[in-house]
Amino acid sequence: MNDELPITIYNEKGKLNSWMPFHYEAERKTRHAVTVQGGAQKSGAATRSWTSEIFIPYQLLKPLFKNVPVSGSRRKGNLYRIDCDQGETLSAWQRNSGNFHEHGKFGIFEFE
């Protein structure tokens, strides 16, 4: 439904930490869009498919990086989706056991 919860959970030398951005506005705000094919874009509607696009600005993540990522830089991470139409359904870009904190199962993001 094009909603978001901008939080970050990260692993620093085996210790899990979490972070929620302050001043979440202007150049620090993510941009996202959802399009639906073959149905209405509303909760519980039958659809053929959907597409989601997300832009995460470096300014938002800056406090988490020791070095500025350059083209070709790689970082581990994952993206999650939580649906609540018919009870809670969890989806992840990279599969895990249902525990969002399994950093060993994260995928690789490559910066352009």
Side-chain angles (χ1 to χ4, degrees):
M1 299 309 299
N2 206 23
D3 290 326
E4 68 176 329
L5 174 60
I7 59 173
T8 300
I9 299 167
Y10 60 99
N11 184 304
E12 189 171 34
K13 298 179 183 174
K15 184 177 179 186
L16 292 176
N17 292 290
S18 61
W19 176 78
M20 187 170 195
F22 293 100
H23 308 293
Y24 187 59
E25 58 206 16
E27 75 277 353
R28 292 175 47 85
K29 193 164 176 60
T30 61
R31 291 180 290 213
H32 45 85
V34 173
T35 56
V36 173
Q37 295 79 34
Q41 186 172 328
K42 67 178 191 172
S43 183
T47 62
R48 186 176 65 251
S49 64
W50 60 271
T51 303
S52 176
E53 298 176 75
I54 305 166
F55 172 77
I56 304 170
Y58 171 70
Q59 289 296 330
L60 179 62
L61 300 176
K62 193 174 178 178
L64 301 175
F65 293 138
K66 291 180 173 68
N67 301 315
V68 175
V70 297
S71 183
S73 293
R74 297 163 57 94
R75 300 286 195 274
K76 290 182 82 169
N78 210 348
L79 300 171
Y80 298 97
R81 176 184 165 127
I82 302 172
D83 286 307
C84 298
D85 291 342
Q86 297 174 2
E88 190 174 81
T89 303
L90 308 175
S91 304
W93 170 53
Q94 297 294 313
R95 287 187 179 258
N96 59 41
S97 69
N99 177 345
F100 296 148
H101 310 288
E102 292 179 299
H103 68 279
K105 296 184 178 181
F106 287 1
I108 301 293
F109 289 98
E110 186 168 322
F111 290 78
E112 296 182 350

